[in-house]
Amino acid sequence: MKKLLLTIFTITIIGLSLSACDDLLTKAPLDSPSSATFYSNATELDMALNGIYRELWWQTRGLPFLFELDQTTDLGFLRDGDYKTIAQGEHDSDLWVFSVEMWEKLYSGVAYSNDLLENMDRARGQVSQQYFQEIEGQAKYLRAFFYHFLTELFGDVPFYIETPSIEDAQLPRTPKSEIVQQIYADLDDAIQYLPESWSSSDQGRITRGAALALKARVALYNEDYEMAAQAAQEVINSGVYELHQDYGELFDYAGHGSPEIIMAVEHMDGAITTWVPQRFGDRNVGSWATEVPSQFLVDTYQMTDGKHIDQSDLYDPANPFENRDPRLDATLLRPQGEFLGYIFETHPDSTETWRRDGDDWIRVGNQNVTNAFATFTGLHWRKYVSEVDFPNRRQSSELHQIYIRYAEVLLTYAEAMIESGNINQSVLDALNKVRARAYGTDLSDTENYPAITTTNQNELRRELRYERKVELAMEGFRLFDIRRWKIAEHVMNGPLVGRPLRDYSSITEVPTINRDLGHHPDYGGTIDLYRTPEQRRFNPNRDYLFPIPLREFAVNENLTQNPGY
């Protein structure tokens, strides 16, 4: 992907040149690219393709879009910005994030993809058939990728598979179901044309496995369960991918190049980085803690016996982080955890904390309590927050963002089989492989992890939804999951809950975990004992889709708005 990073910026200028349409420009210029001559050789096809890849670096305020999107759900909290407005259910069609950071970014990717696919025949005689098909397969995958997010975020949207004329540009919205069929067709071509892997100089490009995995995801989201299971099964049978043995390590620099990663966007200093360290990090190391996890997520994690905290004898309210699913500590930084030599503590009386000083510990001021903008939930994210990025107070990170990984494929396969009623040992194996890895062991080592053994469809559905919630937390899946499971209005209405106001031992009544609502905790009459930094609202008559951006109606009179906006 370094090869891509060095060239992706060039295409922006080329794209601007190609989009010009004026009677004065009827002749191809001799000193710059033009729509009449471009796409004529391998170099130009590469440049155009890299321009499409560029649209995968999808950030807002220095954070990957999907990281921000998870904070708009029950998993997390945002201190400010447009995503906070979404989380509070106060958004409308005039919000900048919809018009620019979602709609415009995704359609830019569609436009670049269409332009390449529409014009690449000019190079057919100049490149090998294999090379031509590999370019086509990647472009079709990327177009499918962008349309997948457009349809999941907005529902029915204007649909283009070729560059429209000015007269034809004002298209009405096409039903999502029709667009999904084209997504399948594009991915089928990508599956046919793309290799299982690339040489080292082309690492980061889309593979056949990525196309199959995306097809499985799209089919799952659209309830085409047989297709989802079949595509996921092909990824599993390929033998190309395997789970990274250390779950936490996967989201740090040691995870780069892991065989679990199917699709990722790579970051590199001097090209594109993220502000994850500055935005997610601890106040004691100079970061801002603007995005933080919720107590909802903490209380979701099961005990090591596979039971929830309201049913397990292992749960001690005074020591709530003991004997928990190991993914809890791999995903978030909780009170009494250690980060960069500081003991993380957010009890309001802890105006000082401990810092490691060589072999000793010393007392120091605790910004996580005394700073007015310290963590509002009393928790921090650890996932994607690498200590490597902090010694020099770097504001940026080169950690790669994973879009698709093998664990998701296993969970997709399991869910598709469960929902289709086709339950067999392979479903249990898929779920248990993910769960066993969380405990750092193998599928067969059932003495050291709580294996799933039930074959009851309803029970398996609950177990699957638990695994997706905790395995994929802070990776951008939660909003899509709570929407498609139709539980968003249940988990997104009411106060967002953070840590207890006082000691954890002050909580004598364990919250009830609602297994039918995505394992959502219910605090009942004890909720006043917890931090509740904001009220969340989700209107089921409106918020299962985002609004079509207001400014689009000024340029397309054939658009209609989603209900309630």
Side-chain angles (χ1 to χ4, degrees), residues 40-63:
S40 297
N41 54 54
T43 299
E44 292 172 353
L45 293 184
D46 263 342
M47 293 173 69
L49 181 64
N50 292 345
I52 310 172
Y53 274 103
R54 172 65 177 83
E55 300 307 305
L56 296 174
W57 278 264
W58 190 8
Q59 293 187 7
T60 174
R61 301 190 304 172
L63 287 183

PDB file of all heavy atoms in Angstrom, residues 40-63:
ATOM      1  N   SER A  40      -5.200   5.334 -21.056  1.00  0.00           N
ATOM      2  CA  SER A  40      -4.738   4.675 -22.273  1.00  0.00           C
ATOM      3  C   SER A  40      -3.592   3.707 -22.054  1.00  0.00           C
ATOM      4  O   SER A  40      -3.173   3.029 -22.988  1.00  0.00           O
ATOM      5  CB  SER A  40      -4.300   5.735 -23.310  1.00  0.00           C
ATOM      6  OG  SER A  40      -5.398   6.537 -23.669  1.00  0.00           O
ATOM      7  N   ASN A  41      -3.046   3.626 -20.838  1.00  0.00           N
ATOM      8  CA  ASN A  41      -1.933   2.723 -20.591  1.00  0.00           C
ATOM      9  C   ASN A  41      -1.934   2.307 -19.120  1.00  0.00           C
ATOM     10  O   ASN A  41      -2.744   2.781 -18.316  1.00  0.00           O
ATOM     11  CB  ASN A  41      -0.596   3.371 -20.977  1.00  0.00           C
ATOM     12  CG  ASN A  41      -0.399   4.717 -20.296  1.00  0.00           C
ATOM     13  OD1 ASN A  41      -0.485   4.808 -19.073  1.00  0.00           O
ATOM     14  ND2 ASN A  41      -0.146   5.768 -21.082  1.00  0.00           N
ATOM     15  N   ALA A  42      -1.008   1.435 -18.764  1.00  0.00           N
ATOM     16  CA  ALA A  42      -0.980   0.879 -17.413  1.00  0.00           C
ATOM     17  C   ALA A  42      -0.736   1.953 -16.363  1.00  0.00           C
ATOM     18  O   ALA A  42      -1.341   1.930 -15.288  1.00  0.00           O
ATOM     19  CB  ALA A  42       0.095  -0.202 -17.322  1.00  0.00           C
ATOM     20  N   THR A  43       0.146   2.895 -16.648  1.00  0.00           N
ATOM     21  CA  THR A  43       0.444   3.950 -15.682  1.00  0.00           C
ATOM     22  C   THR A  43      -0.803   4.755 -15.354  1.00  0.00           C
ATOM     23  O   THR A  43      -1.090   5.053 -14.185  1.00  0.00           O
ATOM     24  CB  THR A  43       1.546   4.870 -16.223  1.00  0.00           C
ATOM     25  OG1 THR A  43       2.741   4.109 -16.432  1.00  0.00           O
ATOM     26  CG2 THR A  43       1.830   6.003 -15.250  1.00  0.00           C
ATOM     27  N   GLU A  44      -1.552   5.116 -16.395  1.00  0.00           N
ATOM     28  CA  GLU A  44      -2.748   5.927 -16.178  1.00  0.00           C
ATOM     29  C   GLU A  44      -3.853   5.134 -15.473  1.00  0.00           C
ATOM     30  O   GLU A  44      -4.588   5.680 -14.652  1.00  0.00           O
ATOM     31  CB  GLU A  44      -3.216   6.498 -17.512  1.00  0.00           C
ATOM     32  CG  GLU A  44      -2.235   7.533 -18.064  1.00  0.00           C
ATOM     33  CD  GLU A  44      -2.557   7.980 -19.481  1.00  0.00           C
ATOM     34  OE1 GLU A  44      -3.471   7.395 -20.106  1.00  0.00           O
ATOM     35  OE2 GLU A  44      -1.882   8.904 -19.969  1.00  0.00           O
ATOM     36  N   LEU A  45      -3.978   3.840 -15.800  1.00  0.00           N
ATOM     37  CA  LEU A  45      -4.952   3.022 -15.078  1.00  0.00           C
ATOM     38  C   LEU A  45      -4.587   2.924 -13.601  1.00  0.00           C
ATOM     39  O   LEU A  45      -5.460   3.000 -12.728  1.00  0.00           O
ATOM     40  CB  LEU A  45      -5.026   1.620 -15.692  1.00  0.00           C
ATOM     41  CG  LEU A  45      -5.604   1.502 -17.103  1.00  0.00           C
ATOM     42  CD1 LEU A  45      -5.689   0.025 -17.500  1.00  0.00           C
ATOM     43  CD2 LEU A  45      -6.977   2.141 -17.205  1.00  0.00           C
ATOM     44  N   ASP A  46      -3.298   2.756 -13.321  1.00  0.00           N
ATOM     45  CA  ASP A  46      -2.850   2.698 -11.928  1.00  0.00           C
ATOM     46  C   ASP A  46      -3.165   3.996 -11.187  1.00  0.00           C
ATOM     47  O   ASP A  46      -3.632   3.988 -10.045  1.00  0.00           O
ATOM     48  CB  ASP A  46      -1.342   2.440 -11.875  1.00  0.00           C
ATOM     49  CG  ASP A  46      -1.017   0.975 -11.661  1.00  0.00           C
ATOM     50  OD1 ASP A  46      -1.914   0.225 -11.214  1.00  0.00           O
ATOM     51  OD2 ASP A  46       0.125   0.578 -11.931  1.00  0.00           O
ATOM     52  N   MET A  47      -2.879   5.110 -11.833  1.00  0.00           N
ATOM     53  CA  MET A  47      -3.124   6.402 -11.203  1.00  0.00           C
ATOM     54  C   MET A  47      -4.610   6.592 -10.920  1.00  0.00           C
ATOM     55  O   MET A  47      -5.000   7.059  -9.844  1.00  0.00           O
ATOM     56  CB  MET A  47      -2.597   7.531 -12.085  1.00  0.00           C
ATOM     57  CG  MET A  47      -1.086   7.565 -12.219  1.00  0.00           C
ATOM     58  SD  MET A  47      -0.523   8.788 -13.424  1.00  0.00           S
ATOM     59  CE  MET A  47      -0.950  10.309 -12.569  1.00  0.00           C
ATOM     60  N   ALA A  48      -5.434   6.218 -11.869  1.00  0.00           N
ATOM     61  CA  ALA A  48      -6.876   6.367 -11.683  1.00  0.00           C
ATOM     62  C   ALA A  48      -7.377   5.462 -10.564  1.00  0.00           C
ATOM     63  O   ALA A  48      -8.196   5.866  -9.728  1.00  0.00           O
ATOM     64  CB  ALA A  48      -7.608   6.066 -12.985  1.00  0.00           C
ATOM     65  N   LEU A  49      -6.890   4.224 -10.538  1.00  0.00           N
ATOM     66  CA  LEU A  49      -7.310   3.296  -9.494  1.00  0.00           C
ATOM     67  C   LEU A  49      -6.872   3.781  -8.118  1.00  0.00           C
ATOM     68  O   LEU A  49      -7.629   3.713  -7.150  1.00  0.00           O
ATOM     69  CB  LEU A  49      -6.733   1.912  -9.772  1.00  0.00           C
ATOM     70  CG  LEU A  49      -7.119   0.823  -8.760  1.00  0.00           C
ATOM     71  CD1 LEU A  49      -8.630   0.575  -8.779  1.00  0.00           C
ATOM     72  CD2 LEU A  49      -6.368  -0.465  -9.064  1.00  0.00           C
ATOM     73  N   ASN A  50      -5.654   4.290  -8.030  1.00  0.00           N
ATOM     74  CA  ASN A  50      -5.181   4.801  -6.751  1.00  0.00           C
ATOM     75  C   ASN A  50      -6.033   5.967  -6.261  1.00  0.00           C
ATOM     76  O   ASN A  50      -6.192   6.172  -5.054  1.00  0.00           O
ATOM     77  CB  ASN A  50      -3.721   5.229  -6.869  1.00  0.00           C
ATOM     78  CG  ASN A  50      -2.791   4.051  -7.070  1.00  0.00           C
ATOM     79  OD1 ASN A  50      -3.174   2.905  -6.852  1.00  0.00           O
ATOM     80  ND2 ASN A  50      -1.573   4.330  -7.519  1.00  0.00           N
ATOM     81  N   GLY A  51      -6.556   6.735  -7.209  1.00  0.00           N
ATOM     82  CA  GLY A  51      -7.456   7.821  -6.833  1.00  0.00           C
ATOM     83  C   GLY A  51      -8.731   7.320  -6.184  1.00  0.00           C
ATOM     84  O   GLY A  51      -9.290   7.969  -5.294  1.00  0.00           O
ATOM     85  N   ILE A  52      -9.213   6.161  -6.610  1.00  0.00           N
ATOM     86  CA  ILE A  52     -10.400   5.568  -5.982  1.00  0.00           C
ATOM     87  C   ILE A  52     -10.040   5.070  -4.589  1.00  0.00           C
ATOM     88  O   ILE A  52     -10.791   5.284  -3.619  1.00  0.00           O
ATOM     89  CB  ILE A  52     -10.970   4.419  -6.830  1.00  0.00           C
ATOM     90  CG1 ILE A  52     -11.152   4.832  -8.287  1.00  0.00           C
ATOM     91  CG2 ILE A  52     -12.314   3.974  -6.253  1.00  0.00           C
ATOM     92  CD1 ILE A  52     -11.541   3.680  -9.201  1.00  0.00           C
ATOM     93  N   TYR A  53      -8.902   4.398  -4.464  1.00  0.00           N
ATOM     94  CA  TYR A  53      -8.461   3.946  -3.140  1.00  0.00           C
ATOM     95  C   TYR A  53      -8.363   5.122  -2.162  1.00  0.00           C
ATOM     96  O   TYR A  53      -8.632   4.966  -0.966  1.00  0.00           O
ATOM     97  CB  TYR A  53      -7.093   3.268  -3.240  1.00  0.00           C
ATOM     98  CG  TYR A  53      -7.121   1.804  -3.573  1.00  0.00           C
ATOM     99  CD1 TYR A  53      -6.812   1.350  -4.851  1.00  0.00           C
ATOM    100  CD2 TYR A  53      -7.425   0.851  -2.603  1.00  0.00           C
ATOM    101  CE1 TYR A  53      -6.811  -0.011  -5.161  1.00  0.00           C
ATOM    102  CE2 TYR A  53      -7.426  -0.509  -2.900  1.00  0.00           C
ATOM    103  CZ  TYR A  53      -7.123  -0.932  -4.177  1.00  0.00           C
ATOM    104  OH  TYR A  53      -7.123  -2.280  -4.473  1.00  0.00           O
ATOM    105  N   ARG A  54      -7.988   6.268  -2.678  1.00  0.00           N
ATOM    106  CA  ARG A  54      -7.849   7.451  -1.816  1.00  0.00           C
ATOM    107  C   ARG A  54      -9.139   7.749  -1.052  1.00  0.00           C
ATOM    108  O   ARG A  54      -9.108   8.252   0.082  1.00  0.00           O
ATOM    109  CB  ARG A  54      -7.435   8.663  -2.680  1.00  0.00           C
ATOM    110  CG  ARG A  54      -7.434  10.012  -1.952  1.00  0.00           C
ATOM    111  CD  ARG A  54      -6.388  10.044  -0.850  1.00  0.00           C
ATOM    112  NE  ARG A  54      -6.333  11.340  -0.195  1.00  0.00           N
ATOM    113  CZ  ARG A  54      -7.151  11.720   0.774  1.00  0.00           C
ATOM    114  NH1 ARG A  54      -8.112  10.914   1.192  1.00  0.00           N
ATOM    115  NH2 ARG A  54      -7.019  12.912   1.329  1.00  0.00           N
ATOM    116  N   GLU A  55     -10.279   7.427  -1.656  1.00  0.00           N
ATOM    117  CA  GLU A  55     -11.555   7.733  -1.005  1.00  0.00           C
ATOM    118  C   GLU A  55     -11.842   6.818   0.184  1.00  0.00           C
ATOM    119  O   GLU A  55     -12.818   7.044   0.913  1.00  0.00           O
ATOM    120  CB  GLU A  55     -12.692   7.647  -2.027  1.00  0.00           C
ATOM    121  CG  GLU A  55     -12.540   8.617  -3.197  1.00  0.00           C
ATOM    122  CD  GLU A  55     -12.334  10.053  -2.744  1.00  0.00           C
ATOM    123  OE1 GLU A  55     -13.176  10.560  -1.968  1.00  0.00           O
ATOM    124  OE2 GLU A  55     -11.327  10.668  -3.150  1.00  0.00           O
ATOM    125  N   LEU A  56     -11.021   5.794   0.393  1.00  0.00           N
ATOM    126  CA  LEU A  56     -11.189   4.938   1.568  1.00  0.00           C
ATOM    127  C   LEU A  56     -10.645   5.593   2.827  1.00  0.00           C
ATOM    128  O   LEU A  56     -10.968   5.158   3.936  1.00  0.00           O
ATOM    129  CB  LEU A  56     -10.494   3.589   1.358  1.00  0.00           C
ATOM    130  CG  LEU A  56     -11.052   2.702   0.243  1.00  0.00           C
ATOM    131  CD1 LEU A  56     -10.170   1.468   0.072  1.00  0.00           C
ATOM    132  CD2 LEU A  56     -12.481   2.281   0.546  1.00  0.00           C
ATOM    133  N   TRP A  57      -9.795   6.603   2.680  1.00  0.00           N
ATOM    134  CA  TRP A  57      -9.295   7.324   3.847  1.00  0.00           C
ATOM    135  C   TRP A  57     -10.379   8.327   4.248  1.00  0.00           C
ATOM    136  O   TRP A  57     -10.372   9.481   3.860  1.00  0.00           O
ATOM    137  CB  TRP A  57      -7.976   8.029   3.529  1.00  0.00           C
ATOM    138  CG  TRP A  57      -6.809   7.095   3.622  1.00  0.00           C
ATOM    139  CD1 TRP A  57      -6.003   6.921   4.687  1.00  0.00           C
ATOM    140  CD2 TRP A  57      -6.332   6.212   2.603  1.00  0.00           C
ATOM    141  NE1 TRP A  57      -5.035   5.978   4.414  1.00  0.00           N
ATOM    142  CE2 TRP A  57      -5.223   5.524   3.139  1.00  0.00           C
ATOM    143  CE3 TRP A  57      -6.735   5.919   1.305  1.00  0.00           C
ATOM    144  CZ2 TRP A  57      -4.508   4.584   2.408  1.00  0.00           C
ATOM    145  CZ3 TRP A  57      -6.033   4.979   0.594  1.00  0.00           C
ATOM    146  CH2 TRP A  57      -4.924   4.329   1.143  1.00  0.00           C
ATOM    147  N   TRP A  58     -11.295   7.838   5.031  1.00  0.00           N
ATOM    148  CA  TRP A  58     -12.574   8.494   5.295  1.00  0.00           C
ATOM    149  C   TRP A  58     -12.535   8.992   6.733  1.00  0.00           C
ATOM    150  O   TRP A  58     -12.798   8.258   7.671  1.00  0.00           O
ATOM    151  CB  TRP A  58     -13.663   7.450   5.086  1.00  0.00           C
ATOM    152  CG  TRP A  58     -15.070   7.904   5.070  1.00  0.00           C
ATOM    153  CD1 TRP A  58     -15.551   9.170   5.077  1.00  0.00           C
ATOM    154  CD2 TRP A  58     -16.217   7.053   5.028  1.00  0.00           C
ATOM    155  NE1 TRP A  58     -16.916   9.175   5.047  1.00  0.00           N
ATOM    156  CE2 TRP A  58     -17.356   7.885   5.017  1.00  0.00           C
ATOM    157  CE3 TRP A  58     -16.400   5.683   5.005  1.00  0.00           C
ATOM    158  CZ2 TRP A  58     -18.648   7.380   4.987  1.00  0.00           C
ATOM    159  CZ3 TRP A  58     -17.683   5.179   4.971  1.00  0.00           C
ATOM    160  CH2 TRP A  58     -18.794   6.015   4.954  1.00  0.00           C
ATOM    161  N   GLN A  59     -12.169  10.257   6.918  1.00  0.00           N
ATOM    162  CA  GLN A  59     -11.947  10.787   8.257  1.00  0.00           C
ATOM    163  C   GLN A  59     -12.802  12.022   8.521  1.00  0.00           C
ATOM    164  O   GLN A  59     -13.217  12.729   7.612  1.00  0.00           O
ATOM    165  CB  GLN A  59     -10.477  11.164   8.453  1.00  0.00           C
ATOM    166  CG  GLN A  59      -9.519   9.996   8.444  1.00  0.00           C
ATOM    167  CD  GLN A  59      -8.111  10.419   8.821  1.00  0.00           C
ATOM    168  OE1 GLN A  59      -7.856  11.557   9.210  1.00  0.00           O
ATOM    169  NE2 GLN A  59      -7.178   9.479   8.716  1.00  0.00           N
ATOM    170  N   THR A  60     -13.040  12.262   9.794  1.00  0.00           N
ATOM    171  CA  THR A  60     -13.653  13.500  10.255  1.00  0.00           C
ATOM    172  C   THR A  60     -12.902  13.952  11.497  1.00  0.00           C
ATOM    173  O   THR A  60     -12.688  13.164  12.420  1.00  0.00           O
ATOM    174  CB  THR A  60     -15.150  13.314  10.561  1.00  0.00           C
ATOM    175  OG1 THR A  60     -15.665  14.510  11.136  1.00  0.00           O
ATOM    176  CG2 THR A  60     -15.394  12.169  11.513  1.00  0.00           C
ATOM    177  N   ARG A  61     -12.432  15.155  11.491  1.00  0.00           N
ATOM    178  CA  ARG A  61     -11.655  15.710  12.599  1.00  0.00           C
ATOM    179  C   ARG A  61     -10.480  14.805  12.971  1.00  0.00           C
ATOM    180  O   ARG A  61     -10.132  14.663  14.129  1.00  0.00           O
ATOM    181  CB  ARG A  61     -12.542  15.956  13.824  1.00  0.00           C
ATOM    182  CG  ARG A  61     -13.698  16.906  13.569  1.00  0.00           C
ATOM    183  CD  ARG A  61     -14.388  17.315  14.855  1.00  0.00           C
ATOM    184  NE  ARG A  61     -14.850  16.159  15.620  1.00  0.00           N
ATOM    185  CZ  ARG A  61     -15.341  16.233  16.851  1.00  0.00           C
ATOM    186  NH1 ARG A  61     -15.410  17.404  17.454  1.00  0.00           N
ATOM    187  NH2 ARG A  61     -15.774  15.149  17.481  1.00  0.00           N
ATOM    188  N   GLY A  62      -9.889  14.189  11.945  1.00  0.00           N
ATOM    189  CA  GLY A  62      -8.709  13.372  12.173  1.00  0.00           C
ATOM    190  C   GLY A  62      -8.976  11.956  12.620  1.00  0.00           C
ATOM    191  O   GLY A  62      -8.037  11.199  12.871  1.00  0.00           O
ATOM    192  N   LEU A  63     -10.250  11.566  12.730  1.00  0.00           N
ATOM    193  CA  LEU A  63     -10.580  10.207  13.138  1.00  0.00           C
ATOM    194  C   LEU A  63     -11.267   9.477  12.001  1.00  0.00           C
ATOM    195  O   LEU A  63     -12.088  10.066  11.285  1.00  0.00           O
ATOM    196  CB  LEU A  63     -11.507  10.200  14.351  1.00  0.00           C
ATOM    197  CG  LEU A  63     -10.914  10.578  15.695  1.00  0.00           C
ATOM    198  CD1 LEU A  63     -11.979  10.432  16.777  1.00  0.00           C
ATOM    199  CD2 LEU A  63      -9.713   9.703  16.035  1.00  0.00           C
TER     200      LEU A  63
END
